[in-house]
């Protein structure tokens, strides 16, 4: 078996790392991970044939078949994580780590956009933010980069602590604490503890933390800990100042300049403020930072504005939980429009809280008095009690057919649901 030091020397011979035989590049290291329905060891030969330089495996029988190409370890996932830790220790650049219940990816993209104005910056690609994605992210940070932004997701306690031990952030940010992954975290207090593991890490290492001064939960969590090297509060004294929330956020700088963005809502404005604070901390000029924020236009189903004929669609279908759903509903309710329709899908990973949370969402939507409400998914039936006139579809096939039979015009449409609902599929039918 190879140890981490030996594996690292082999890694340096490679062009990158892949865990998917469909994405093999010539000279890469293939890592044979196991899942509920697959065993990557069985694809090692395929990866080598496709051009991988080495295959990291934890099956001795597979390693014996390819002694020159296979690197045998006790556990491929653990070896991948240890390899990433080892690589991280060779890097001397600042690493900004962020987590939170909502807005992580948007905030990551905003931060990366701002920092890229001055530094060669690497940021988490896509949603590579878990116990596999974070090691892959770290291993992608080469000597050419001057800064890194690493997104960390979690659905249970101790996961952020693990990810921090791998990416070892020097700076950090929690976007917010909300009702996300309640089933895995064991309730909202579990979310607070789990996300707070980033603060724990930064406090223990003397790192720098960025805190939203207007968020009482985050400020309280910060006060509970000591040992930070530096704390940077943002949105103190209402700077920058939000002057418009919809259809897109518009804010005023401390010099009086008005910046129009492509993102709606106060919740996205807070993400922008975080990116601006981090940019200022690292010496990005205010003009370039504001330019980066104004230019960011999402194309990843997150707060994405799509024009469909005379209809304006706010596509926010990448994820949903009670906190993000409530923020989106309230924001959409405040948006001026001739006719407003909401299409909302199930919120996943709520466990025993799911019926009550969907019922509460139904009441929130009812209070907003939209022109039309469409519910999709098995748990959205709990929202019907407060929405007797809503259209309810347990499956998306029926929803697609209904939308084709009932075309909309001159309408603003909010589409939001958990990733598993894939509600972006309804856009072609609007």
């Amino acid at each position: 078996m190879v140890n981490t030091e030996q594996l690292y020397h082999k890694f340096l011979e490679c062009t990158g790392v892949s865990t998917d035989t469909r994405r093999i590049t010539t000279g890469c290291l293939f890592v044979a991970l196991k899942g509920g329905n697959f065993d990557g060891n069985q694809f090692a030969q395929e990866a080598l044939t496709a051009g991988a330089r080495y295959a990291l495996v934890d099956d001795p029988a597979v390693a014996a078949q390819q002694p020159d190409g296979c690197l045998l370890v006790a556990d491929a996932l653990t070896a991948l994580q240890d390899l990433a830790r080892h690589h991280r220790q060779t890097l001397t650049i600042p690493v900004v780590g962020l987590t939170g219940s909502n807005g992580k990816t948007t905030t990551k993209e905003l931060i990366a956009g701002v920092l890229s104005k001055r530094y060669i910056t690497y940021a988490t690609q896509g949603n590579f933010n878990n116990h596999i994605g974070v090691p892959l992210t770290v291993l992608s940070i080469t000597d050419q980069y001057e800064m890194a932004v690493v997104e960390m997701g979690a659905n249970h306690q101790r996961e952020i602590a693990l990810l921090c031990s791998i990416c070892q952030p020097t700076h950090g940010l929690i976007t917010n604490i909300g009702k996300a992954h309640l089933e895995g975290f064991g309730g909202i207090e579990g979310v607070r503890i789990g996300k707070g593991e980033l603060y724990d890490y930064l406090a223990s290492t003397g790192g720098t933390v960025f805190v939203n001064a207007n968020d009482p939960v985050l400020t309280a969590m910060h006060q509970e800990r000591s040992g930070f090297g530096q704390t940077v509060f943002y949105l103190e004294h209402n700077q920058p100042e939000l002057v418009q929330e919809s259809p897109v956020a518009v804010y005023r700088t401390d010099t009086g300049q008005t910046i129009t963005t492509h993102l709606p809502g106060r919740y996205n404005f807070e993400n922008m403020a975080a990116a601006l604070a981090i940019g200022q901390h690292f010496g990005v000029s205010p003009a370039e930072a504001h330019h980066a924020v104004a230019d960011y236009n999402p194309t990843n189903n997150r707060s994405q504005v799509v024009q469909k004929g005379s209809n304006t669609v706010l596509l926010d279908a990448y994820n949903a939980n009670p906190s993000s759903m409530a923020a989106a509903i309230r924001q959409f309710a405040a948006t001026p429009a001739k006719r407003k329709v909401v299409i909302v899908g199930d919120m996943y990973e709520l466990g025993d809280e799911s019926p009550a949370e969907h019922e509460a969402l139904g009441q929130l939507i009812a209070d907003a008095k939209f022109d039309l409400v469409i519910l999709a998914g098995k748990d959205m039936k709990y929202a019907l009690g407060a929405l007797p006139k809503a259209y309810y579809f347990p499956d998306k096939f029926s929803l697609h057919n209904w939308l084709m039979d009932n075309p909309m015009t001159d309408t603003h449409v909010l589409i939001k649901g958990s990733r598993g609902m894939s509600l972006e599929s309804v856009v072609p039918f609007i």
Side-chain angles (χ1 to χ4, degrees), residues 227-279:
F228 298 108
Q230 185 177 359
T231 298
V232 178
F233 288 102
Y234 59 94
L235 285 176
E236 277 192 305
H237 315 301
N238 292 320
Q239 288 297 332
E241 179 187 6
L242 181 65
V243 295
Q244 175 185 301
E245 294 188 29
S246 60
V248 294
V250 177
Y251 66 88
R252 185 179 295 115
T253 71
D254 56 357
T255 60
Q257 183 183 7
T258 299
I259 306 295
T260 300
T261 75
H262 293 283
L263 295 167
R266 176 170 295 278
Y267 52 96
N268 275 315
F269 167 68
E270 292 180 350
N271 300 335
M272 299 171 202
L276 292 170
I278 291 172

Short mmCIF file of all heavy atoms in Angstrom, two decimals, residues 227-279:
data_model
loop_
_atom_site.label_atom_id
_atom_site.label_comp_id
_atom_site.label_asym_id
_atom_site.label_seq_id
_atom_site.Cartn_x
_atom_site.Cartn_y
_atom_site.Cartn_z
N GLY A 227 -10.39 34.20 19.95
CA GLY A 227 -9.21 33.64 19.31
C GLY A 227 -9.05 34.03 17.86
O GLY A 227 -8.03 33.72 17.23
N PHE A 228 -10.07 34.72 17.28
CA PHE A 228 -9.95 35.16 15.90
C PHE A 228 -8.78 36.13 15.76
O PHE A 228 -8.56 36.99 16.62
CB PHE A 228 -11.23 35.87 15.43
CG PHE A 228 -12.45 34.99 15.45
CD1 PHE A 228 -13.45 35.18 16.40
CD2 PHE A 228 -12.60 33.98 14.52
CE1 PHE A 228 -14.57 34.37 16.43
CE2 PHE A 228 -13.73 33.16 14.53
CZ PHE A 228 -14.71 33.35 15.49
N GLY A 229 -8.05 36.02 14.67
CA GLY A 229 -6.97 36.97 14.43
C GLY A 229 -7.52 38.34 14.11
O GLY A 229 -6.98 39.37 14.53
N GLN A 230 -8.60 38.37 13.37
CA GLN A 230 -9.25 39.63 13.00
C GLN A 230 -10.71 39.37 12.68
O GLN A 230 -11.06 38.32 12.15
CB GLN A 230 -8.55 40.26 11.78
CG GLN A 230 -9.07 41.63 11.40
CD GLN A 230 -8.31 42.24 10.22
OE1 GLN A 230 -7.37 41.65 9.70
NE2 GLN A 230 -8.69 43.44 9.82
N THR A 231 -11.57 40.32 13.05
CA THR A 231 -12.98 40.26 12.69
C THR A 231 -13.32 41.47 11.84
O THR A 231 -13.02 42.60 12.22
CB THR A 231 -13.88 40.23 13.94
OG1 THR A 231 -13.59 39.06 14.71
CG2 THR A 231 -15.34 40.22 13.54
N VAL A 232 -13.94 41.21 10.69
CA VAL A 232 -14.39 42.29 9.82
C VAL A 232 -15.91 42.24 9.77
O VAL A 232 -16.49 41.28 9.27
CB VAL A 232 -13.81 42.13 8.40
CG1 VAL A 232 -14.34 43.23 7.49
CG2 VAL A 232 -12.29 42.13 8.43
N PHE A 233 -16.55 43.25 10.33
CA PHE A 233 -18.01 43.35 10.26
C PHE A 233 -18.38 44.10 8.97
O PHE A 233 -17.75 45.10 8.62
CB PHE A 233 -18.56 44.11 11.46
CG PHE A 233 -18.49 43.34 12.74
CD1 PHE A 233 -17.50 43.62 13.67
CD2 PHE A 233 -19.40 42.33 13.02
CE1 PHE A 233 -17.43 42.91 14.86
CE2 PHE A 233 -19.34 41.62 14.21
CZ PHE A 233 -18.34 41.90 15.13
N TYR A 234 -19.39 43.59 8.29
CA TYR A 234 -19.88 44.30 7.10
C TYR A 234 -21.35 44.63 7.30
O TYR A 234 -22.03 44.09 8.17
CB TYR A 234 -19.64 43.50 5.82
CG TYR A 234 -20.28 42.13 5.75
CD1 TYR A 234 -21.53 41.94 5.16
CD2 TYR A 234 -19.61 41.02 6.25
CE1 TYR A 234 -22.10 40.68 5.07
CE2 TYR A 234 -20.17 39.75 6.17
CZ TYR A 234 -21.42 39.59 5.59
OH TYR A 234 -21.99 38.34 5.52
N LEU A 235 -21.83 45.57 6.50
CA LEU A 235 -23.17 46.17 6.63
C LEU A 235 -23.32 46.94 7.93
O LEU A 235 -24.43 47.12 8.43
CB LEU A 235 -24.27 45.11 6.48
CG LEU A 235 -24.51 44.64 5.05
CD1 LEU A 235 -25.56 43.53 5.01
CD2 LEU A 235 -24.95 45.80 4.15
N GLU A 236 -22.20 47.37 8.49
CA GLU A 236 -22.26 48.31 9.62
C GLU A 236 -22.63 49.69 9.08
O GLU A 236 -22.21 50.08 7.99
CB GLU A 236 -20.89 48.39 10.32
CG GLU A 236 -20.65 47.29 11.32
CD GLU A 236 -19.45 47.58 12.19
OE1 GLU A 236 -18.36 47.81 11.64
OE2 GLU A 236 -19.60 47.55 13.41
N HIS A 237 -23.42 50.41 9.82
CA HIS A 237 -23.82 51.77 9.46
C HIS A 237 -24.50 51.81 8.08
O HIS A 237 -24.42 52.81 7.36
CB HIS A 237 -22.60 52.71 9.46
CG HIS A 237 -21.71 52.54 10.65
ND1 HIS A 237 -22.17 52.72 11.95
CD2 HIS A 237 -20.41 52.17 10.74
CE1 HIS A 237 -21.17 52.49 12.79
NE2 HIS A 237 -20.11 52.15 12.09
N ASN A 238 -25.15 50.67 7.72
CA ASN A 238 -25.91 50.58 6.47
C ASN A 238 -25.08 50.95 5.24
O ASN A 238 -25.56 51.59 4.31
CB ASN A 238 -27.16 51.48 6.54
CG ASN A 238 -28.17 50.96 7.53
OD1 ASN A 238 -28.39 49.76 7.62
ND2 ASN A 238 -28.78 51.86 8.28
N GLN A 239 -23.81 50.55 5.24
CA GLN A 239 -22.97 50.77 4.07
C GLN A 239 -22.49 49.44 3.51
O GLN A 239 -21.92 48.64 4.26
CB GLN A 239 -21.77 51.65 4.43
CG GLN A 239 -22.12 53.10 4.69
CD GLN A 239 -22.71 53.79 3.46
OE1 GLN A 239 -22.41 53.42 2.32
NE2 GLN A 239 -23.57 54.77 3.70
N PRO A 240 -22.70 49.18 2.23
CA PRO A 240 -23.50 49.96 1.28
C PRO A 240 -24.98 49.96 1.66
O PRO A 240 -25.40 49.13 2.46
CB PRO A 240 -23.25 49.26 -0.05
CG PRO A 240 -22.94 47.85 0.34
CD PRO A 240 -22.20 47.93 1.62
N GLU A 241 -25.76 50.82 1.04
CA GLU A 241 -27.18 50.97 1.39
C GLU A 241 -28.07 50.43 0.28
O GLU A 241 -27.94 50.83 -0.87
CB GLU A 241 -27.49 52.45 1.63
CG GLU A 241 -28.94 52.71 1.99
CD GLU A 241 -29.27 54.20 2.03
OE1 GLU A 241 -28.40 55.02 1.68
OE2 GLU A 241 -30.41 54.52 2.41
N LEU A 242 -28.96 49.53 0.64
CA LEU A 242 -29.91 48.99 -0.32
C LEU A 242 -31.00 50.01 -0.58
O LEU A 242 -31.68 50.44 0.35
CB LEU A 242 -30.50 47.68 0.21
CG LEU A 242 -31.50 46.96 -0.69
CD1 LEU A 242 -30.83 46.47 -1.97
CD2 LEU A 242 -32.13 45.77 0.05
N VAL A 243 -31.19 50.37 -1.84
CA VAL A 243 -32.22 51.37 -2.17
C VAL A 243 -33.36 50.77 -2.99
O VAL A 243 -34.40 51.41 -3.17
CB VAL A 243 -31.60 52.57 -2.93
CG1 VAL A 243 -30.64 53.31 -2.01
CG2 VAL A 243 -30.91 52.13 -4.21
N GLN A 244 -33.17 49.56 -3.52
CA GLN A 244 -34.24 48.88 -4.25
C GLN A 244 -34.02 47.38 -4.15
O GLN A 244 -32.90 46.89 -4.30
CB GLN A 244 -34.23 49.31 -5.72
CG GLN A 244 -35.23 48.57 -6.61
CD GLN A 244 -35.11 48.95 -8.06
OE1 GLN A 244 -35.26 50.12 -8.42
NE2 GLN A 244 -34.82 47.97 -8.92
N GLU A 245 -35.10 46.63 -3.88
CA GLU A 245 -35.00 45.18 -3.75
C GLU A 245 -35.45 44.42 -4.99
O GLU A 245 -34.97 43.32 -5.26
CB GLU A 245 -35.83 44.69 -2.55
CG GLU A 245 -35.32 45.16 -1.20
CD GLU A 245 -36.07 44.50 -0.05
OE1 GLU A 245 -36.53 43.36 -0.23
OE2 GLU A 245 -36.19 45.12 1.02
N SER A 246 -36.41 44.98 -5.73
CA SER A 246 -36.95 44.25 -6.87
C SER A 246 -37.23 45.23 -8.02
O SER A 246 -37.41 46.43 -7.78
CB SER A 246 -38.25 43.54 -6.47
OG SER A 246 -39.21 44.48 -6.02
N PRO A 247 -37.24 44.75 -9.25
CA PRO A 247 -37.01 43.36 -9.65
C PRO A 247 -35.58 42.90 -9.46
O PRO A 247 -35.31 41.71 -9.45
CB PRO A 247 -37.41 43.36 -11.13
CG PRO A 247 -37.19 44.76 -11.58
CD PRO A 247 -37.53 45.61 -10.41
N VAL A 248 -34.64 43.87 -9.36
CA VAL A 248 -33.26 43.52 -9.01
C VAL A 248 -32.79 44.48 -7.92
O VAL A 248 -33.34 45.58 -7.75
CB VAL A 248 -32.31 43.62 -10.23
CG1 VAL A 248 -32.65 42.57 -11.27
CG2 VAL A 248 -32.33 45.02 -10.83
N ALA A 249 -31.79 44.04 -7.17
CA ALA A 249 -31.26 44.87 -6.10
C ALA A 249 -30.45 46.03 -6.67
O ALA A 249 -29.64 45.85 -7.58
CB ALA A 249 -30.39 44.03 -5.17
N VAL A 250 -30.68 47.20 -6.11
CA VAL A 250 -29.91 48.40 -6.44
C VAL A 250 -29.39 48.96 -5.12
O VAL A 250 -30.15 49.08 -4.15
CB VAL A 250 -30.76 49.45 -7.17
CG1 VAL A 250 -29.95 50.71 -7.45
CG2 VAL A 250 -31.34 48.88 -8.46
N TYR A 251 -28.09 49.27 -5.08
CA TYR A 251 -27.56 49.80 -3.83
C TYR A 251 -26.73 51.05 -4.09
O TYR A 251 -26.29 51.32 -5.20
CB TYR A 251 -26.72 48.75 -3.08
CG TYR A 251 -25.44 48.30 -3.76
CD1 TYR A 251 -24.24 48.98 -3.54
CD2 TYR A 251 -25.41 47.18 -4.59
CE1 TYR A 251 -23.06 48.57 -4.14
CE2 TYR A 251 -24.24 46.76 -5.19
CZ TYR A 251 -23.06 47.47 -4.96
OH TYR A 251 -21.89 47.06 -5.56
N ARG A 252 -26.55 51.81 -3.00
CA ARG A 252 -25.80 53.06 -3.08
C ARG A 252 -24.49 52.88 -2.30
O ARG A 252 -24.48 52.38 -1.18
CB ARG A 252 -26.61 54.21 -2.51
CG ARG A 252 -25.93 55.58 -2.65
CD ARG A 252 -26.80 56.70 -2.08
NE ARG A 252 -28.04 56.85 -2.83
CZ ARG A 252 -29.26 56.63 -2.33
NH1 ARG A 252 -29.39 56.24 -1.05
NH2 ARG A 252 -30.33 56.79 -3.07
N THR A 253 -23.39 53.27 -2.90
CA THR A 253 -22.09 53.16 -2.26
C THR A 253 -21.88 54.29 -1.26
O THR A 253 -22.69 55.24 -1.21
CB THR A 253 -20.96 53.19 -3.30
OG1 THR A 253 -20.86 54.52 -3.83
CG2 THR A 253 -21.25 52.21 -4.44
N ASP A 254 -20.80 54.21 -0.50
CA ASP A 254 -20.53 55.27 0.48
C ASP A 254 -20.16 56.59 -0.18
O ASP A 254 -20.15 57.64 0.47
CB ASP A 254 -19.44 54.83 1.46
CG ASP A 254 -18.15 54.44 0.75
OD1 ASP A 254 -18.12 54.45 -0.49
OD2 ASP A 254 -17.17 54.12 1.46
N THR A 255 -19.87 56.55 -1.49
CA THR A 255 -19.59 57.80 -2.21
C THR A 255 -20.82 58.32 -2.95
O THR A 255 -20.73 59.30 -3.68
CB THR A 255 -18.45 57.58 -3.23
OG1 THR A 255 -18.84 56.57 -4.17
CG2 THR A 255 -17.17 57.15 -2.52
N GLY A 256 -21.96 57.62 -2.78
CA GLY A 256 -23.20 58.08 -3.40
C GLY A 256 -23.49 57.50 -4.77
O GLY A 256 -24.52 57.81 -5.38
N GLN A 257 -22.61 56.63 -5.26
CA GLN A 257 -22.82 56.02 -6.57
C GLN A 257 -23.91 54.95 -6.47
O GLN A 257 -23.98 54.20 -5.49
CB GLN A 257 -21.53 55.39 -7.07
CG GLN A 257 -21.64 54.77 -8.47
CD GLN A 257 -20.36 54.09 -8.89
OE1 GLN A 257 -19.41 53.96 -8.10
NE2 GLN A 257 -20.30 53.64 -10.14
N THR A 258 -24.78 54.85 -7.47
CA THR A 258 -25.84 53.85 -7.49
C THR A 258 -25.43 52.69 -8.38
O THR A 258 -25.05 52.88 -9.54
CB THR A 258 -27.15 54.46 -8.03
OG1 THR A 258 -27.55 55.53 -7.16
CG2 THR A 258 -28.26 53.42 -8.05
N ILE A 259 -25.51 51.48 -7.84
CA ILE A 259 -25.10 50.27 -8.54
C ILE A 259 -26.32 49.39 -8.77
O ILE A 259 -27.00 48.99 -7.82
CB ILE A 259 -24.04 49.47 -7.74
CG1 ILE A 259 -22.85 50.35 -7.35
CG2 ILE A 259 -23.60 48.24 -8.53
CD1 ILE A 259 -22.04 50.85 -8.51
N THR A 260 -26.59 49.08 -10.03
CA THR A 260 -27.70 48.20 -10.39
C THR A 260 -27.15 46.80 -10.67
O THR A 260 -26.20 46.65 -11.45
CB THR A 260 -28.44 48.72 -11.63
OG1 THR A 260 -28.95 50.03 -11.35
CG2 THR A 260 -29.61 47.80 -11.98
N THR A 261 -27.74 45.78 -10.04
CA THR A 261 -27.24 44.41 -10.18
C THR A 261 -28.21 43.56 -11.00
O THR A 261 -29.24 44.04 -11.46
CB THR A 261 -27.04 43.78 -8.79
OG1 THR A 261 -28.32 43.43 -8.24
CG2 THR A 261 -26.32 44.72 -7.84
N HIS A 262 -27.85 42.29 -11.15
CA HIS A 262 -28.72 41.34 -11.85
C HIS A 262 -29.43 40.40 -10.88
O HIS A 262 -30.10 39.46 -11.33
CB HIS A 262 -27.89 40.49 -12.83
CG HIS A 262 -27.31 41.27 -13.96
ND1 HIS A 262 -28.05 41.68 -15.05
CD2 HIS A 262 -26.06 41.73 -14.17
CE1 HIS A 262 -27.28 42.34 -15.89
NE2 HIS A 262 -26.06 42.38 -15.38
N LEU A 263 -29.30 40.64 -9.59
CA LEU A 263 -29.87 39.73 -8.58
C LEU A 263 -30.95 40.43 -7.78
O LEU A 263 -30.78 41.59 -7.39
CB LEU A 263 -28.78 39.25 -7.62
CG LEU A 263 -27.67 38.38 -8.21
CD1 LEU A 263 -26.53 38.24 -7.22
CD2 LEU A 263 -28.23 37.01 -8.57
N PRO A 264 -32.06 39.74 -7.49
CA PRO A 264 -33.14 40.37 -6.72
C PRO A 264 -32.95 40.18 -5.21
O PRO A 264 -32.29 39.25 -4.76
CB PRO A 264 -34.37 39.60 -7.19
CG PRO A 264 -33.84 38.22 -7.45
CD PRO A 264 -32.45 38.40 -7.98
N GLY A 265 -33.54 41.08 -4.46
CA GLY A 265 -33.76 40.81 -3.05
C GLY A 265 -32.70 41.26 -2.06
O GLY A 265 -31.53 41.39 -2.38
N ARG A 266 -33.18 41.47 -0.83
CA ARG A 266 -32.28 41.84 0.26
C ARG A 266 -31.30 40.71 0.56
O ARG A 266 -30.14 40.94 0.90
CB ARG A 266 -33.10 42.18 1.52
CG ARG A 266 -32.25 42.48 2.76
CD ARG A 266 -33.08 43.03 3.88
NE ARG A 266 -33.65 44.33 3.54
CZ ARG A 266 -32.98 45.48 3.65
NH1 ARG A 266 -31.73 45.49 4.08
NH2 ARG A 266 -33.56 46.61 3.34
N TYR A 267 -31.78 39.46 0.44
CA TYR A 267 -30.91 38.34 0.77
C TYR A 267 -29.71 38.28 -0.18
O TYR A 267 -28.59 37.97 0.24
CB TYR A 267 -31.69 37.02 0.75
CG TYR A 267 -32.50 36.74 -0.49
CD1 TYR A 267 -31.99 35.95 -1.52
CD2 TYR A 267 -33.78 37.26 -0.65
CE1 TYR A 267 -32.73 35.69 -2.66
CE2 TYR A 267 -34.53 37.00 -1.78
CZ TYR A 267 -34.00 36.22 -2.79
OH TYR A 267 -34.74 35.98 -3.93
N ASN A 268 -29.91 38.61 -1.45
CA ASN A 268 -28.78 38.66 -2.37
C ASN A 268 -27.92 39.89 -2.14
O ASN A 268 -26.70 39.84 -2.33
CB ASN A 268 -29.27 38.62 -3.82
CG ASN A 268 -29.51 37.20 -4.30
OD1 ASN A 268 -28.70 36.31 -4.07
ND2 ASN A 268 -30.63 36.98 -4.97
N PHE A 269 -28.53 40.97 -1.72
CA PHE A 269 -27.76 42.17 -1.39
C PHE A 269 -26.78 41.88 -0.26
O PHE A 269 -25.63 42.34 -0.28
CB PHE A 269 -28.70 43.32 -1.01
CG PHE A 269 -28.01 44.48 -0.37
CD1 PHE A 269 -27.14 45.28 -1.10
CD2 PHE A 269 -28.23 44.78 0.97
CE1 PHE A 269 -26.49 46.36 -0.50
CE2 PHE A 269 -27.59 45.85 1.57
CZ PHE A 269 -26.72 46.64 0.83
N GLU A 270 -27.20 41.10 0.73
CA GLU A 270 -26.30 40.76 1.83
C GLU A 270 -25.12 39.93 1.32
O GLU A 270 -23.99 40.06 1.82
CB GLU A 270 -27.07 40.03 2.92
CG GLU A 270 -28.07 40.92 3.64
CD GLU A 270 -28.85 40.20 4.72
OE1 GLU A 270 -28.75 38.97 4.80
OE2 GLU A 270 -29.56 40.90 5.48
N ASN A 271 -25.37 39.07 0.33
CA ASN A 271 -24.28 38.31 -0.27
C ASN A 271 -23.31 39.25 -1.00
O ASN A 271 -22.09 39.05 -0.95
CB ASN A 271 -24.84 37.28 -1.25
CG ASN A 271 -25.78 36.29 -0.59
OD1 ASN A 271 -25.70 36.04 0.61
ND2 ASN A 271 -26.68 35.73 -1.37
N MET A 272 -23.85 40.26 -1.67
CA MET A 272 -23.01 41.24 -2.36
C MET A 272 -22.15 42.01 -1.36
O MET A 272 -20.96 42.24 -1.58
CB MET A 272 -23.88 42.23 -3.13
CG MET A 272 -24.74 41.62 -4.22
SD MET A 272 -25.89 42.85 -4.87
CE MET A 272 -27.16 41.81 -5.56
N ALA A 273 -22.77 42.39 -0.24
CA ALA A 273 -22.04 43.15 0.77
C ALA A 273 -20.87 42.34 1.33
O ALA A 273 -19.80 42.88 1.62
CB ALA A 273 -22.99 43.57 1.89
N ALA A 274 -21.09 41.03 1.48
CA ALA A 274 -20.00 40.17 1.96
C ALA A 274 -18.84 40.17 0.97
O ALA A 274 -17.67 40.30 1.35
CB ALA A 274 -20.52 38.74 2.15
N ALA A 275 -19.17 40.05 -0.32
CA ALA A 275 -18.13 40.04 -1.34
C ALA A 275 -17.38 41.37 -1.38
O ALA A 275 -16.15 41.40 -1.52
CB ALA A 275 -18.75 39.74 -2.71
N LEU A 276 -18.10 42.47 -1.23
CA LEU A 276 -17.46 43.79 -1.22
C LEU A 276 -16.54 43.94 -0.02
O LEU A 276 -15.44 44.50 -0.14
CB LEU A 276 -18.53 44.88 -1.22
CG LEU A 276 -19.38 45.00 -2.50
CD1 LEU A 276 -20.55 45.94 -2.27
CD2 LEU A 276 -18.52 45.47 -3.67
N ALA A 277 -16.97 43.44 1.14
CA ALA A 277 -16.14 43.53 2.35
C ALA A 277 -14.85 42.73 2.19
O ALA A 277 -13.76 43.17 2.59
CB ALA A 277 -16.93 43.04 3.56
N ILE A 278 -14.97 41.55 1.60
CA ILE A 278 -13.77 40.71 1.40
C ILE A 278 -12.85 41.36 0.37
O ILE A 278 -11.62 41.38 0.54
CB ILE A 278 -14.20 39.30 0.98
CG1 ILE A 278 -14.88 38.59 2.16
CG2 ILE A 278 -13.01 38.48 0.49
CD1 ILE A 278 -15.51 37.26 1.83
N GLY A 279 -13.44 41.92 -0.67
CA GLY A 279 -12.62 42.63 -1.66
C GLY A 279 -11.88 43.79 -1.04
O GLY A 279 -10.67 43.98 -1.29
#
